[in-house]
Amino acid sequence: MKKIAFICAFALLSAGLTVPVAHAVDVLGVDIHGFASQGFLLGTNNWPTSKTEKGTFGYNDFAINFSKELGDNLHLGIQFSALDRGAYGKDDVTIDWAYADYRFKDWFGIRAGKVKIPMGLYNETRDLDSARTYVLLPQGIYDDANREINLANSGVAIYGVSPATPVGTFSYLATAGKYDIPTDGGLAEIGKTMFLQNLSSTDTDTAFAYKLEYSPVFIDGLKLQGTGFHTSFSAKGPYNGTFGTNQGLTPVGSEIDMKFKNLRRYVLSAEYVFHDLVVSGEYMVQTAKVDAFINNLHPVDTYNKLQAYYGGATYRFAEWFELGGYYSIYYPDRDHKHGTAQTQALGLPEYSNWQKDAALTLRFDPYKNLTIKTEGHYINGTGLVNYNRASAKEDSYLFAAKVTASF
Amino acid sequence: MQEKGRKRDGTRRMAGVSALIAVLLVGAVSASFAADCVIIANKKVPTGALSKADVQSMFLGEKGKWDDGKSVKLAVLESGGGHASIAGKTPAQFENTWKRLIFTGKAAAPKSFEDESSLIGYVASTPGAIACVSHADSSVKVISVK
């Protein structure tokens, strides 16, 4: 109730400003911007980390940032954020990004601090509801449960934009740094729904991420992008007995150590803008070597091979109304799209090996600073469902709504 | 004869309505991307002409520096103005582009003003400033688009 009251107050305040986001609140030369989003999910299968069968308001985002330009080259900024995703987040305030940005030339600049990781069209702004049409991004690529792996790096980044060339313009961004996987976040929740009592510890290697973007001069409005992400990480926790105790080798409480080595994720993206019409599509593959150790024994040696893609379009009919939709497909194992003997032995149905999602969104902008969205999903398959996987229904529906106020 | 006449009237009416709809649609599309404004900049900027690509890039926060290394300071009108169409975007797309920059820390928001006289005054007094206005005066430099 307090959360809803806060959102309403924030919305009224922002609506009263009736100025574009371009207008910051300026305090002593420091620009201040912020947003507050409150969502509602209701679905016939449970969402990855939210129990949506009875409806949940556990889906929100808050952020406030402070920034200042010092001279022609240096820019400082920090953004605090808080989110709730049902089973994790709980509106704990964290630093979303914070860095110093020194721009030597348009084609070369350096950022040092905590920098958002580029991946696809939306990862850097995945929590910025008002800058896109959809409530829920295609989950195969922008999985809310696995977001902690590729949110932000604490390290350095280089970036730049080329001058206009005869074939178009290019821009790049490359980051290297460390990131944290919390033991009470989305990954921990996935682990608990599968075979862990909890996540006791995590360890991450340096992550490298890069983006190359190309806007061809011969097709106005077209943007092509390629992003890559490399890292390794491990997660440990006590076994919860879900899959039996295997003749005493895996008693409840045994330490399971999951190592994801040489994780490689690549996303190819295309976006075409023609007046009020925006058409976009993305394709993602991810590969990682997975070694699982149980009480220091090594019974599992496998690969994680994800594949996902989607196509979507949006059209703004009026200043206050936009319509959009997408169709996305996700395979947790692209080499076995109908399952394996192992998944069958675990009692998982064939349709747990994919998730196909058709979404339709209505976006309303009654004021410049206020956005209201409603969205419906028809989902076939349970590849991304974590709660009650064995009994989740093949076909499900999800309704999502979100209100965002920003300044 | 009368029936034929009625049919001709109906056909003419349909044609007239169709033509009107077509004109309105074309007009609406054209109007949303018409360069209705004059590009102005502070008198100290090192050039009097920019390519269309450079203008768009500046208005979208991609090109952040003039050739002399000074930073680009974009200024816009709070209520409409031609800055979105200059950038090759609809107003909503222009807003979203800047939101993505601001909420990832990549750029400071453009300065916004309620009226053109305040906007022009800011451009005249701020090195590196650039904007799009309906009428320029002698306090600022007019930038031609090549």
Side-chain angles (χ1 to χ4, degrees):
Chain A
M1 180 57 85
K2 280 184 187 174
K3 198 187 299 183
I4 295 173
F6 174 78
I7 293 289
C8 292
F10 196 103
L12 287 170
L13 173 64
S14 300
L17 292 175
T18 60
V19 293
V21 162
H23 181 90
V25 172
D26 187 320
V27 176
L28 301 176
V30 176
D31 286 351
I32 305 174
H33 294 270
F35 65 82
S37 296
Q38 177 60 58
F40 175 77
L41 303 178
L42 175 65
T44 53
N45 270 346
N46 284 314
W47 197 244
T49 55
S50 301
K51 295 182 177 175
T52 54
E53 286 183 337
K54 294 183 180 178
T56 177
F57 284 98
Y59 200 83
N60 65 39
D61 302 272
F62 304 92
I64 186 166
N65 68 55
F66 306 86
S67 63
K68 186 168 178 63
E69 291 186 318
L70 299 170
D72 290 309
N73 298 326
L74 184 61
H75 180 78
L76 303 176
I78 184 169
Q79 176 159 296
F80 299 95
S81 69
L83 61 83
D84 186 4
R85 290 292 184 268
Y88 73 93
K90 303 301 183 189
D91 295 322
D92 291 335
V93 178
T94 61
I95 295 176
D96 193 21
W97 50 260
Y99 58 86
D101 183 336
Y102 197 91
R103 194 169 198 171
F104 294 91
K105 301 282 185 187
D106 278 325
W107 53 265
F108 182 67
I110 293 179
R111 294 174 182 142
K114 189 173 185 181
V115 183
K116 301 290 279 189
I117 290 176
M119 190 185 65
L121 296 172
Y122 295 109
N123 195 57
E124 293 175 89
T125 57
R126 63 187 298 159
D127 299 327
L128 184 56
D129 177 76
S130 61
R132 64 171 187 265
T133 307
Y134 314 118
V135 176
L136 299 166
L137 291 167
Q139 289 294 292
I141 297 177
Y142 302 101
D143 184 359
D144 256 343
N146 280 307
R147 50 181 282 137
E148 296 139 351
I149 300 172
N150 43 39
L151 270 179
N153 264 347
S154 292
V156 295
I158 59 172
Y159 69 95
V161 178
S162 74
T165 73
V167 296
T169 57
F170 298 85
S171 67
Y172 71 94
L173 169 65
T175 80
K178 290 282 284 183
Y179 61 101
D180 290 322
I181 298 177
T183 55
D184 59 352
L187 269 180
E189 193 60 28
I190 292 174
K192 285 196 286 185
T193 62
M194 296 174 75
F195 47 76
L196 296 178
Q197 293 178 5
N198 56 62
L199 207 59
S200 57
S201 67
T202 61
D203 188 34
T204 61
D205 284 357
T206 300
F208 300 91
Y210 44 89
K211 173 175 76 172
L212 181 64
E213 196 169 283
Y214 169 51
S215 299
V217 69
F218 46 86
I219 304 179
D220 195 27
L222 178 65
K223 177 169 72 178
L224 302 173
Q225 186 186 97
T227 51
F229 177 71
H230 303 186
T231 190
S232 298
F233 69 91
S234 64
K236 289 183 187 177
Y239 178 51
N240 63 9
T242 300
F243 302 120
T245 53
N246 195 18
Q247 300 176 349
L249 290 177
T250 51
V252 172
S254 305
E255 182 184 82
I256 296 184
D257 185 2
M258 300 284 292
K259 296 184 186 297
F260 286 75
K261 297 178 179 176
N262 298 319
L263 187 149
R264 301 279 188 269
R265 175 177 276 216
Y266 303 106
V267 183
L268 294 177
S269 313
E271 181 184 86
Y272 178 62
V273 179
F274 181 73
H275 300 317
D276 289 297
L277 173 69
V278 179
V279 179
S280 58
E282 298 192 272
Y283 175 80
M284 180 276 286
V285 288
Q286 175 176 300
T287 304
K289 176 98 172 15
V290 181
D291 289 327
F293 294 81
I294 302 173
N295 286 342
N296 295 320
L297 296 176
H298 187 194
V300 178
D301 182 347
T302 185
Y303 283 88
N304 167 263
K305 292 185 173 182
L306 310 181
Q307 181 186 56
Y309 43 92
Y310 78 90
T314 69
Y315 190 83
R316 182 163 285 273
F317 289 87
E319 193 177 325
W320 58 272
F321 176 60
E322 185 175 55
L323 180 72
Y326 63 75
Y327 183 67
S328 73
I329 298 176
Y330 167 78
Y331 295 107
D333 184 346
R334 61 180 181 267
D335 290 342
H336 302 94
K337 293 179 178 174
H338 293 276
T340 62
Q342 284 176 325
T343 55
Q344 288 167 13
L346 290 171
L348 295 172
E350 185 183 3
Y351 52 79
S352 67
N353 295 287
W354 66 78
Q355 186 149 320
K356 301 172 184 176
D357 185 350
L360 185 68
T361 310
L362 280 68
R363 170 177 170 153
F364 304 92
D365 297 279
Y367 301 102
K368 276 194 180 291
N369 303 78
L370 187 66
T371 299
I372 302 170
K373 301 179 185 178
T374 61
E375 184 171 281
H377 293 254
Y378 164 67
I379 301 169
N380 173 260
T382 57
L384 284 162
V385 172
N386 292 310
Y387 293 108
N388 304 318
R389 291 184 77 199
S391 60
K393 297 178 277 294
E394 179 177 0
D395 294 310
S396 64
Y397 299 89
L398 181 77
F399 169 75
K402 210 164 191 187
V403 176
T404 299
S406 57
F407 66 92
Chain B
M1 187 74 91
Q2 281 179 331
E3 194 172 328
K4 273 188 182 174
R6 272 198 289 270
K7 278 187 180 173
R8 268 200 295 272
D9 285 343
T11 305
R12 281 200 206 107
R13 213 173 292 133
M14 283 280 292
V17 169
S18 302
L20 179 61
I21 291 172
V23 166
L24 286 173
L25 282 174
V26 169
V29 168
S30 300
S32 66
F33 284 89
D36 300 331
C37 56
V38 176
I39 309 290
I40 61 169
N42 182 269
K43 284 193 171 180
K44 291 182 180 177
V45 301
T47 182
L50 289 169
S51 67
K52 181 184 171 187
D54 278 347
V55 170
Q56 285 189 338
S57 196
M58 285 181 175
F59 276 69
L60 291 174
E62 294 166 355
K63 182 173 173 58
K65 289 190 174 293
W66 296 93
D67 289 344
D68 62 358
K70 296 291 184 189
S71 59
V72 173
K73 305 274 189 194
L74 178 64
V76 299
L77 276 176
E78 283 178 1
S79 55
H83 51 265
S85 61
I86 288 290
K89 301 284 185 186
T90 64
Q93 291 161 3
F94 182 85
E95 188 85 358
N96 286 344
T97 297
W98 277 97
K99 277 182 186 173
R100 290 186 193 120
L101 294 173
I102 291 162
F103 284 101
T104 52
K106 294 180 180 178
K111 293 294 182 190
S112 61
F113 298 88
E114 288 183 355
D115 56 84
E116 274 200 2
S117 61
S118 305
L119 175 63
I120 292 172
Y122 170 80
V123 173
S125 61
T126 305
I130 187 171
C132 173
V133 294
S134 58
H135 299 95
D137 62 28
S138 58
S139 66
V140 294
K141 180 186 287 189
V142 174
I143 302 291
S144 61
V145 181
K146 53 186 178 184

